[in-house]
Amino acid sequence: MKPRPPTMRGKQRYVLARLDPPSLAVSGRDLYYAIAESLTSLYGDSGMACMEPSVVSCTGGYAIIRCTRSSEGRVVAGLAAVHQVQEVSVAVRSIRTSGTMRSLRRHLAGMTPRAPLGEQDAYFQGRSWTGVKYPGGKVDLFEKGFKNQQPLFLTEEDLEE
Amino acid sequence: MRCTDACVYPFPLGDSSVRRMAQEAGELGLDSIVAVGAKRCIFRGVEVVGGTVIQGTNPGEVQAALRKLGGDPGILMANAGDYAFNKALLHMSRVRVLRGIHATPRNSFDHILSRMAAERQVAVDLDLSLLVSGRDYARQKALQRYADLARLQSRTGFPLTLSSGARSILQMKSTRDMISLCRLFGLDEDGVEEAFLGIANILRPEKAVEVVE
């Protein structure tokens, strides 16, 4: 079967989104289900079908979501309404919309890396925590001995006090 | 103060410190936040304004809570209720923002109260967390009320404020996200920009005559 020529295909838009917290590894499939649930609850099945959203890439704390042209505004609203992926709190923050993935990847290359700078033991509110440091003086605290708990989001200045 | 998140709850009410919330707000395109229980400061270029939410179901309780407040409570916000209660709140000069109007009866804030709010420069807050975490009927009701408020605002001109109601940096919204969420209930980009200025207008109201040196 011959592939459909580009001029006969529907136009697409690509939305670059940042996933927070950066320590969380979210798979593309889980993210798609969360976005689909959010869009369906906001716009219904017919609206969701018109948008044709799909997660094209999901690596390094960023995701690229594809949708049909003219539906990108609704997809951005749907992304803003995602607050959990697999019952874990996340934030999906749309950064930029483009007509090509190449321009989004070029934009992504110019952004500051979000990898953690290291871990340190911290003492906060009379308890021991494991602190994960990020660029910009950000520190996420995970309480020692507790699994799957929500971290505290602080800055280095908060720990110094 | 051009883009303000009108209500966030930092640690200990939430899981993020006020500094981290201010830093996150800066990255999300905001230049100021109203933080409940925090003191006024500027952190990494983002202005933090303190705020207090007064819980009360009748004017007497609110007056008693206002009397108990000490020091600098910042911007005073009160949870809205029925028509008579909202009218009483609008007459209290210290209350600057009405919150939680989505949870009140439909006739609790009509054109008369909206004109009164415009005269007294009392803002009505639109809490976007309901559109994110709410589902089904709760979200539909919030969208209906917000659409109604946006229509009233365009006619009478009372100040609107936009808040994420965030208790975590993960619940904070960027200006882009707020604009797209506000489109859900018919508030256009100009309306959103005006609502971002709501807190600035309350803090520094325009005067009829101002001497500029």
Side-chain angles (χ1 to χ4, degrees):
Chain A
M1 193 176 76
K2 283 176 75 175
R4 192 185 288 189
T7 51
M8 307 276 284
R9 294 178 202 156
K11 297 282 185 190
Q12 308 281 352
R13 284 289 177 267
Y14 298 88
V15 181
L16 175 65
R18 193 181 83 193
L19 306 176
D20 279 328
S23 58
L24 192 72
V26 179
S27 73
R29 181 178 298 205
D30 291 341
L31 181 64
Y32 171 77
Y33 286 136
I35 293 169
E37 195 273 330
S38 172
L39 288 172
T40 307
S41 71
L42 268 178
Y43 300 106
D45 291 335
S46 64
M48 166 77 180
C50 293
M51 288 180 243
E52 297 176 22
S54 64
V55 177
V56 182
S57 106
C58 183
T59 50
Y62 292 96
I64 295 176
I65 295 104
R66 185 176 63 204
C67 60
T68 54
R69 190 172 68 176
S70 80
S71 71
E72 60 269 19
R74 284 177 288 164
V75 170
V76 168
L79 294 179
V82 172
H83 63 290
Q84 283 191 328
V85 174
Q86 290 285 314
E87 297 183 3
V88 179
S89 292
V90 296
V92 184
R93 283 161 179 151
S94 66
I95 300 170
R96 198 181 178 93
T97 306
S98 174
T100 61
M101 280 180 67
R102 190 198 295 173
S103 70
L104 289 185
R105 293 218 163 104
R106 205 181 297 142
H107 180 76
L108 203 51
M111 292 177 77
T112 51
R114 305 178 65 215
L117 300 173
E119 286 189 9
Q120 64 172 41
D121 286 341
Y123 198 70
F124 182 72
Q125 298 279 314
R127 284 181 286 173
S128 294
W129 306 75
T130 302
V132 182
K133 294 174 88 175
Y134 289 96
K138 298 175 185 174
V139 183
D140 294 356
L141 292 187
F142 296 85
E143 191 162 9
K144 287 185 174 174
F146 289 86
K147 284 184 177 175
N148 302 325
Q149 56 129 10
Q150 280 295 105
L152 287 183
F153 301 102
L154 308 177
T155 62
E156 286 174 354
E157 288 90 340
D158 294 315
L159 291 178
E160 285 163 10
E161 277 181 359
Chain B
M1 293 182 84
R2 284 177 288 109
C3 289
T4 308
D5 187 336
C7 189
V8 297
Y9 299 90
F11 188 82
L13 298 168
D15 66 8
S16 310
S17 71
V18 67
R19 289 193 185 100
R20 182 70 181 268
M21 282 188 144
Q23 189 174 358
E24 195 71 19
E27 290 175 9
L28 294 174
L30 301 162
D31 63 4
S32 46
I33 54 174
V34 178
V36 174
K39 287 179 183 164
R40 193 169 195 149
C41 66
I42 293 177
F43 185 72
R44 300 201 181 178
V46 176
E47 188 172 351
V48 178
V49 181
T52 305
V53 180
I54 297 165
Q55 311 275 358
T57 50
N58 60 61
E61 280 181 22
V62 175
Q63 290 283 15
L66 287 173
R67 277 194 295 274
K68 279 182 196 162
L69 288 173
D72 178 19
I75 293 180
L76 291 178
M77 300 174 265
N79 283 329
D82 59 16
Y83 187 90
F85 181 56
N86 292 343
K87 194 173 177 181
L89 287 176
L90 290 174
H91 279 101
M92 293 176 197
S93 58
R94 291 179 73 188
V95 174
R96 308 315 312 271
V97 181
L98 289 187
R99 299 198 79 237
I101 211 136
H102 62 277
T104 61
R106 194 179 168 86
N107 60 0
S108 66
F109 193 82
D110 62 0
H111 61 289
I112 298 166
L113 289 194
S114 66
R115 265 191 218 116
M116 202 181 285
E119 280 165 18
R120 294 172 177 269
Q121 285 293 294
V122 176
V124 176
D125 183 54
L126 305 179
D127 187 351
L128 298 179
S129 68
L130 296 156
L131 308 185
V132 176
S133 58
R135 284 287 181 273
D136 305 329
Y137 178 68
R139 179 150 69 183
Q140 290 160 22
K141 194 181 166 197
L143 284 168
Q144 283 170 8
R145 288 309 305 276
Y146 288 175
D148 188 41
L149 283 170
R151 262 196 307 275
L152 269 179
Q153 197 274 338
S154 66
R155 284 172 197 166
T156 58
F158 62 88
L160 278 180
T161 61
L162 289 175
S163 68
S164 64
R167 288 175 188 270
S168 167
I169 55 163
L170 302 178
Q171 294 166 357
M172 292 178 79
K173 297 290 163 215
S174 64
T175 51
R176 183 180 157 96
D177 288 345
M178 283 188 177
I179 289 168
S180 61
L181 285 172
C182 287
R183 274 204 199 108
L184 293 174
F185 54 87
L187 193 64
D188 60 5
E189 204 165 330
D190 292 340
V192 174
E193 280 172 14
E194 202 178 317
F196 277 140
L197 288 166
I199 292 293
N201 291 339
I202 288 170
L203 290 175
R204 292 182 272 273
E206 283 181 14
K207 292 169 186 165
V209 179
E210 195 162 354
V211 179
V212 182
E213 290 181 11

